[in-house]
Amino acid sequence: MRPKELSVELRDRIVSMHRSREGYANSTATLKVPKNTVASIILKWKKFGTTKTLPRPGRPAKLYNRGRRVREVTKNPMITLTVLQSSSVEMGDTSRRTTISAALHQSGLYGRVASWKPLLSKKAHDSLLGVCQKAPKGL
């Protein structure tokens, strides 16, 4: 299990101890924080000038209610993307059908269509039945 992040006050204390020329070993002993953590906090402070948690890079998610949509699809697998799109518009989340389709694909849900099976005519059915009846019993 990954440990929680350190509080801003503790990170500020680490930086203040660094500014007062106390070494890493002294900082780790008094604050009971690993030496690598102290070093990474000081490097972050030198690079960004702050000890606060910075926002992560990357584009924000377009679809926020993915869990509700996945539940809706698992309940009714025959639901269409257009119906899902209109329900997301009702929730205040406008998105394209392709965006919804991509989100469902990431969740492992794909559209499945039964393979096309042509109807047999009476003549073809009778000839097939005759072949099956003439075949040896072991097949």
Side-chain angles (χ1 to χ4, degrees):
M1 187 170 121
R2 190 173 165 212
K4 302 281 184 194
E5 67 179 46
L6 299 177
S7 65
V8 177
E9 293 82 25
L10 184 60
R11 288 182 270 173
D12 287 338
R13 282 185 61 196
I14 290 170
V15 170
S16 66
M17 290 177 85
H18 174 71
R19 290 176 116 180
S20 64
R21 303 270 182 206
E22 293 188 36
Y24 286 2
N26 202 6
S27 301
T28 59
T30 46
L31 299 175
K32 293 183 175 47
V33 178
K35 190 189 283 189
N36 284 341
T37 306
V38 171
S40 65
I41 289 172
I42 291 170
L43 282 173
K44 179 183 171 183
W45 171 73
K46 285 180 179 178
K47 185 174 182 180
F48 298 109
T50 183
T51 57
K52 293 181 181 174
T53 306
L54 297 173
R56 295 283 180 231
R59 182 184 172 127
K62 177 83 173 162
L63 302 173
Y64 297 108
N65 50 4
R66 178 175 290 180
R68 183 187 65 80
R69 188 172 295 110
V70 168
R71 262 183 268 117
E72 199 171 327
V73 170
T74 51
K75 275 188 208 172
N76 182 10
M78 298 300 290
I79 195 167
T80 61
L81 287 174
T82 310
V83 173
L84 283 173
Q85 183 181 20
S86 63
S87 69
S88 68
V89 167
E90 290 171 6
M91 299 294 282
D93 187 21
T94 58
S95 55
R96 294 186 178 132
R97 290 174 55 227
T98 54
T99 307
I100 295 170
S101 174
L104 291 175
H105 285 194
Q106 282 181 347
S107 301
L109 299 169
Y110 303 95
R112 288 176 172 72
V113 178
S115 61
W116 182 73
K117 298 178 185 84
L119 296 173
L120 292 175
S121 66
K122 179 71 174 154
K123 182 179 174 184
H125 181 269
D126 290 341
S127 69
L128 187 61
L129 190 63
V131 168
C132 291
Q133 288 173 346
K134 290 178 186 175
K137 296 286 184 196
L139 293 178

